[in-house]
Amino acid sequence: MRKATDLLVQCLENEGVEYVFGIMGKETLDLMDSLSKSNIQFINVRHEQGAAFMADVYARLTNKPGICLATLGPGATNLLTGIASANLDHSPVIAITGQAGFDKQHEESHQYIDIVKIFEPATKWSVQIKDAQTIPKIIRKAFRVAQMEKPGAVLIELQENIAPQMVPNQPLTALPIPKSIPIPQALENALTTISQSQKPVVLLGNGVIRQKAVQGILHFVEKLQAPVIHSFMAKGILPKDHALNYFTFGFSKQDEALPVIEQADLIIAVGFDLVESPPKNWNPKMNPILHIDTLPAEMDEHYPVKEELVGDLKEIFQQLTARNIPSKPWMPAGNLKERIKSAYHIDSNPNVNQSLTIENILESIENIVPENTIVISDVGSHKLSIARTYQSKQAGRLIISNGYASMGIALPGAIGAKLACRNDPVICITGDGGALMNISELETAKRMNLSFIVIVLNNSKLKLEEQMMQDKFNSSFGTGFGNPDFVQLAKSFGVTGVRPQQKNDFEQALINGLGQANGISLIDIQLG
């Protein structure tokens, strides 16, 4: 016999959990006691939202669920933004929260609110543990649900009166999720559809990276010889200099890659999550779709499916490339690739302009950092610049909050990234708005002796919102604010802070930051 929280923690260990990110409280005291005796490292953070973001980015980079913890009431609701973000970006995250005992749930009670109901719209599954003996089944199901395609978030609520109960149960065996592939006829139908097209285009989404299907896609593209464009989340699948790479789509304005789709007669959409960009924005002509994904296509008039291949993407492309894929070489008219590169500031001359613009900063990062560098973008106008300009050298090494577009993800996300990939450089890029949402996690990172670079783009405003207001009303309101001295703020956390004035100063600060084995660098970039 053991107490319920000992069993719960043993179940987490059985699932291979390394870290739990969170903040404890009265209702999770038994759980904390159990964690203290386990092999799992508890990362006590400064805000529960940061814990959820850490779990999200950790999960994206390891392909296994990230775990976050909070107590009841405000602790639980503080997790909600990060959990919703993980769910919409299909990152497997499991949130565990405390709760008041059953005796307090039938009447108005201190800090009691129905967390399970609150989290239901933001998760794949939201459950309350009502019987301590169901813990093994609930934990095993939670991990399975979180990881099944399409992955997402799960909430588990544990009442304080359940936590200390004695139970005899054991963890259930952790089994891999079975893979599936389409029937041979579906594969042949897909190849026939490709054969009948004259100008197919390949549209790559987040699922390609999530399913580790990058090599299969590369082999497929080499045989097909048709243009390829990426969603924000899929950057890095094709190398920047690949002849078929037409870069990124998904912008509401200045989307120079859209003519690739408009000139095509078939869109081969691979691993594309509709939350990445609404089809009406990029397929107004309603070109036919060959849908290749882990789940059947959603219904959308601007996503007219002609054929679909549903199953494990890695397996699908092994099957496809073993067959005779028709070659469909074509080139979009109008010197489009050079127009895209010019509009997106790709391969511009690095020595012409020494001013600190977002494009110059991204170009310096791209030229200086090692291939395995992880870049995490916060949300703001700079996110769009990163999606256009920055060319990741490896797939899955650019992390963006896209589906929920959550400001504040970058700094805590850097902690999750560094714990997921200890030996890889990590750079988080944030606006001043997003930076101050979770700047307190600098203390968490410093306490853990982590090493990464924080770049704060400092213009004392919400630039994207200002631009949108100017476009709509020819004026702006409510977008400005004041800032602390970020260099001095960094130093107060025991973190190196610098404020470069020109591009070469920034590059030296970047090199210095990359050279720190155990240290965090904050680079304050003053932008107009």
Side-chain angles (χ1 to χ4, degrees), residues 167-178:
V167 288
N169 306 68
Q170 297 292 327
L172 300 182
T173 302
L175 297 173
I177 295 171

Side-chain angles (χ1 to χ4, degrees), residues 10-246:
Q10 188 178 359
C11 289
L12 296 180
E13 290 179 317
N14 185 59
E15 298 287 348
V17 172
E18 297 177 289
Y19 304 102
V20 172
F21 307 94
I23 296 179
M24 64 177 294
K26 171 179 171 289
E27 290 71 22
T28 60
L29 292 179
D30 280 285
L31 183 52
M32 292 302 299
D33 175 61
S34 298
L35 279 170
S36 73
K37 297 176 287 188
S38 75
N39 296 320
I40 298 170
Q41 184 177 354
F42 178 70
I43 311 297
N44 51 317
V45 306
R46 305 312 300 264
H47 194 283
E48 291 88 353
Q49 186 184 101
F53 284 143
M54 292 174 203
D56 174 4
V57 175
Y58 173 87
R60 296 194 207 196
L61 290 166
T62 61
N63 272 66
K64 58 184 184 180
I67 315 299
C68 54
L69 171 70
T71 189
L72 82 173
T77 54
N78 280 347
L79 288 174
L80 189 56
T81 294
I83 292 301
S85 180
N87 202 52
L88 283 184
D89 279 341
H90 299 300
S91 177
V93 171
I94 296 173
I96 302 172
T97 68
Q99 184 55 284
F102 289 129
D103 60 319
K104 300 175 183 176
Q105 294 184 23
H106 68 286
E107 61 186 358
E108 187 174 69
S109 183
H110 178 66
Q111 288 193 311
Y112 173 72
I113 192 167
D114 193 334
I115 294 299
V116 171
K117 283 187 178 179
I118 288 173
F119 274 73
E120 279 176 356
T123 58
K124 292 180 72 178
W125 187 42
S126 185
V127 63
Q128 181 184 71
I129 298 174
K130 295 182 173 66
D131 181 343
Q133 295 192 62
T134 64
I135 286 173
K137 291 186 287 187
I138 287 175
I139 296 297
R140 181 81 278 271
K141 180 177 177 179
F143 276 77
R144 196 170 180 86
V145 169
Q147 291 178 287
M148 284 191 307
E149 286 289 332
K150 294 182 177 184
V154 169
L155 171 83
I156 301 172
E157 183 186 75
L158 177 66
Q159 295 73 33
E160 61 178 333
N161 61 306
I162 294 279
Q165 292 180 7
M166 303 304 289
V167 288
N169 306 68
Q170 297 292 327
L172 300 182
T173 302
L175 297 173
I177 295 171
K179 297 179 180 180
S180 64
I181 58 172
I183 61 173
Q185 187 58 55
L187 293 163
E188 294 303 327
N189 291 346
L191 291 172
T192 298
T193 297
I194 295 172
S195 296
Q196 292 171 347
S197 70
Q198 299 300 315
K199 295 181 177 181
V201 60
V202 180
L203 186 156
L204 300 179
N206 185 25
V208 175
I209 295 172
R210 196 168 62 232
Q211 288 268 300
K212 299 182 179 179
V214 173
Q215 288 303 313
I217 284 290
L218 292 174
H219 293 152
F220 174 78
V221 166
E222 290 297 334
K223 290 187 175 184
L224 184 66
Q225 288 295 302
V228 177
I229 54 176
H230 306 70
S231 72
F232 294 3
M233 308 283 279
K235 292 191 73 170
I237 293 177
L238 258 65
K240 179 177 76 171
D241 57 357
H242 196 290
L244 299 173
N245 187 355
Y246 280 76

